[in-house]
Amino acid sequence: MLASLDEDKAENVVVLDINKRASFADKMVIASGLSPRQITSMATHLERRLKESGLGSMHIEGENGSDWVLMDAGDIVVHFFMPESRGLYALERMWGDDFEQADSEQVIGSSL
């Protein structure tokens, strides 16, 4: 998978282990592209490679020229973003190490 992203010139590729935080996947991959066309191409190439390696069905959202393409490959979820959208949604902060730190902090107004 990472080889396909590298060949397609994906930028800032991050792999997050989310198996203890989510039931929908074990890994989350986040990568950036420089144009909607590039991120659509990255998703298409990765889908083909995963199917060739024996992975069954996948679901892809946003592959028609969007600035965010989501690929659900079962245990792996892949997000392809334009840099601006990636910063806006900040999935690394939501699902990365910062998530655990925020989880242990008390929320203002809570009765904990």
Side-chain angles (χ1 to χ4, degrees):
M1 173 184 302
L2 296 178
S4 178
L5 297 177
D6 187 49
E7 286 177 18
D8 285 338
K9 308 290 188 236
E11 296 185 354
N12 302 318
V13 178
V14 174
V15 179
L16 302 172
D17 185 357
I18 62 168
N19 68 344
K20 293 180 182 170
R21 299 179 196 147
S23 61
F24 61 86
D26 293 334
K27 302 279 184 192
M28 181 179 293
V29 178
I30 305 168
S32 293
L34 299 177
S35 70
R37 187 175 190 167
Q38 181 190 12
I39 61 175
T40 297
S41 179
M42 288 189 291
T44 302
H45 293 159
L46 182 57
E47 178 184 31
R48 184 174 15 132
R49 283 189 162 196
L50 292 174
K51 284 183 178 180
E52 288 171 356
S53 70
L55 190 64
S57 65
M58 285 165 270
H59 184 74
I60 300 177
E61 291 285 335
E63 62 186 330
N64 296 321
S66 177
D67 60 347
W68 178 6
V69 176
L70 168 67
M71 175 184 286
D72 181 352
D75 291 336
I76 301 169
V77 175
V78 185
H79 297 272
F80 299 98
F81 282 107
M82 291 289 294
E84 302 82 24
S85 294
R86 185 172 179 170
L88 177 68
Y89 292 103
L91 294 181
E92 289 96 332
R93 283 189 304 217
M94 184 184 301
W95 291 99
D97 292 335
D98 292 342
F99 180 81
E100 289 178 354
Q101 292 170 0
D103 201 28
S104 65
E105 296 174 2
Q106 185 172 0
V107 177
I108 296 173
S110 73
S111 60
L112 295 176

